[in-house]
Amino acid sequence: MTNREGRSGRAERRGQDTLLLLDEPTDNLDLAGAEALQQGLAGFTGTVLAVTHDRWFAADFDRHLVFGADGAVFESAEPVWS
């Protein structure tokens, strides 16, 4: 259930959102917009789960989970591009 602002009661009580889910967030952004997004995410204290093919955008993340074609999931220190 969400309040008028669209935030869950739990997020409102904690004073912050804890999960940000992004699906190809830089697809329709110009360079200035992509840089602004990156700066905004740098100040976000929650978890960011992003699906992206943008190598520049993915480079700043601390952790990368890779979902293989065989269904296996593994962690990688760097983004994996295949």
Side-chain angles (χ1 to χ4, degrees):
M1 178 175 228
T2 59
N3 63 18
R4 288 181 296 212
E5 290 78 30
R7 293 175 59 157
S8 72
R10 180 177 178 176
E12 186 173 329
R13 283 191 304 274
R14 295 184 68 180
Q16 67 181 13
D17 294 328
T18 57
L19 175 65
L20 184 60
L21 177 59
L22 303 173
D23 182 10
E24 300 291 354
T26 59
D27 271 5
N28 297 310
L29 298 178
D30 60 8
L31 182 57
E35 289 174 345
L37 174 62
Q38 199 80 356
Q39 289 173 354
L41 290 175
F44 183 69
T45 59
T47 299
V48 176
L49 177 60
V51 176
T52 186
H53 292 92
D54 185 333
R55 294 171 189 237
W56 172 81
F57 179 73
D60 283 347
F61 284 96
D62 296 335
R63 187 173 177 201
H64 303 89
L65 296 178
V66 179
F67 295 80
D70 62 355
V73 179
F74 62 93
E75 186 173 353
S76 173
E78 299 291 325
V80 174
W81 310 105
S82 49

